[in-house]
Amino acid sequence: MRENKITDTSAADARRGKDIQGIPWERLSISRQEYRRNRLEQYKNYENVPQSGESSEKECKPTKKGGAYFEFWHNTRSVKSTILHFQLRNLVWSTSKHDVYLMSHFSIVHWSSLNGRKREVLNVSGHVAPCEKHPGSLLEGFTETQVSTLAVRDKLLIAGGFQGELICKYLDRPGVSFCLRTTYDDNAITNAVEIYESPSGAVHFMASNNDCGVRDFDMERFQLSKHFSYPWPVNHTSLSPDGKLLVIVGDNPDGMLVDPQTGKTVMPLCGHLDFSFASAWHPDGNIFATGNQDKTCRVWDVRNLSKSVAVLKGNLGAIRSIRFTPDGQFMAMAEPADFVHVYDAKNGFEKEQEIDFFGEISGVSFSPDSESLFIGVWDRTYGSLLQYNRCRNYTYLDSLL
């Protein structure tokens, strides 16, 4: 505990001038401002389509910075948030204002901001096998799973792996419920998982794979219910709040809206210039957003898909994770490293708060009550979990406009 007190940073520490990540700039040969300038100049964005980041700039909507929507609360370095795949950054999930689940090396851990403690939920470095018998479940389980993506909702946790593995665990039950391998394709990595509740109230989850497949699983019957195939690897899907539309993005500049019952395309989504790895719906069911390696997040309105509502630009690189607050007020978009942008979604995405730190981002998550924002930071020395809390009387800093 003594180490935690030394290395962690609280809001009170930050107010006294301590760096939120505990970086001792005063003892280093470079200032924070100089290091930031170097990062902006030297960081190389990964692109599948050359020059996509530069080409996208002309469409970007200028935004006013200086918003103060979430304030720094705590940074804990006792939890090391890690990633295994440089393009997949959905490894942090909050189930309450105080409870967070994240990948830390080969363990899925739970962190409580109430007591400042972590506990291991699942270790995938060795042999993981299901303790329940269900049709289609691989009773032999998996060994040394490399987790590529994670999803946690309510009491259900799903971990996807580099070889198409799916490990499903109920947090209120001992052991793993079942293990699946979505495909035996050599290029079968599970890119994303989304847990949702069907109109009937049944819990489902949807897995997106590099084998160009989207698979829907019914957790009441523990069975595959739908399987759709597309012309390119699917990197992320998002189901609309009413369950009637599905956003699909992947290794193609154009995404698509599809009918989740049939898998057929309703409308293409044209505008991005590179491959996409993120998507999210606003709770109102009309607005959704997609994140791309062209360094932009595009905001769309289902009532008029002829063009994007807004094109929002990152500083360093691709937009690899997007989240809306459950109350619909804000949207967060995360770059691969250093920057998380929080936009005022309720007022047209014209104003933003820029959260600035150093390190690769493993994931971002708002709490279900919209009160907290958690950011996983992967770094050899300063790997941590950042927590920001909602500013109830947030103001806009006109002096920074």
Side-chain angles (χ1 to χ4, degrees), residues 86-252:
F86 74 101
Q87 290 171 306
L88 306 177
R89 307 297 184 91
N90 292 297
L91 296 170
V92 175
W93 293 87
S94 168
T95 56
S96 82
K97 185 177 179 179
H98 307 292
D99 297 285
V100 190
Y101 295 84
L102 65 154
M103 284 303 305
S104 184
H105 302 292
F106 278 91
S107 291
I108 300 171
V109 301
H110 166 259
W111 165 258
S112 170
S113 63
L114 276 179
N115 58 27
R117 294 178 182 174
K118 66 177 179 179
R119 64 179 175 86
E120 186 176 75
V121 175
L122 185 63
N123 189 315
V124 296
S125 63
H127 183 236
V128 175
C131 61
E132 302 175 15
K133 291 185 178 181
H134 299 287
S137 182
L138 293 175
L139 297 182
E140 66 270 26
F142 303 119
T143 301
E144 296 182 353
T145 304
Q146 292 181 289
V147 174
S148 51
T149 192
L150 185 69
V152 185
R153 178 172 172 174
D154 298 327
K155 295 296 182 181
L156 178 61
L157 179 154
I158 312 287
F162 275 58
Q163 296 182 342
E165 305 101 323
L166 287 168
I167 299 172
C168 308
K169 175 180 174 60
Y170 279 99
L171 298 172
D172 56 353
R173 300 183 197 173
V176 168
S177 292
F178 70 101
C179 296
L180 299 165
R181 193 179 295 281
T182 53
T183 174
Y184 287 89
D185 189 299
D186 289 338
N187 192 27
I189 186 169
T190 306
N191 289 324
V193 175
E194 180 182 20
I195 303 170
Y196 70 96
E197 190 174 288
S198 72
S200 67
V203 176
H204 285 239
F205 73 88
M206 199 171 291
S208 311
N209 282 78
N210 255 24
D211 69 347
C212 307
V214 174
R215 296 167 175 84
D216 187 280
F217 294 88
D218 182 340
M219 287 300 293
E220 284 194 351
R221 297 182 297 145
F222 292 91
Q223 288 184 3
L224 177 68
S225 61
K226 299 185 189 74
H227 179 197
F228 306 130
S229 293
Y230 296 97
W232 27 262
V234 179
N235 296 328
H236 203 271
T237 63
S238 292
L239 187 68
S240 62
D242 63 6
K244 294 181 179 180
L245 290 170
L246 181 67
V247 177
I248 294 181
V249 297
D251 285 5
N252 192 69

Side-chain angles (χ1 to χ4, degrees), residues 270 298-301 304-309:
C270 304
R298 283 183 176 263
V299 181
W300 311 81
D301 190 322
N304 182 7
L305 290 168
S306 60
K307 65 176 183 177
S308 306
V309 172

Side-chain angles (χ1 to χ4, degrees), residues 277-296:
F277 285 82
S279 62
W281 280 89
H282 188 281
D284 70 5
N286 293 320
I287 301 294
F288 64 93
T290 54
N292 192 275
Q293 290 183 158
D294 64 9
K295 296 170 71 172
T296 70

Side-chain angles (χ1 to χ4, degrees), residues 346-376:
K346 190 175 181 180
N347 293 298
F349 302 89
E350 295 182 355
K351 301 175 182 178
E352 69 160 298
Q353 175 184 359
E354 189 174 87
I355 298 175
D356 171 355
F357 50 92
F358 295 100
E360 297 288 308
I361 299 169
S362 62
V364 296
S365 182
F366 287 111
S367 58
D369 61 4
S370 303
E371 291 298 311
S372 297
L373 169 62
F374 295 93
I375 304 168

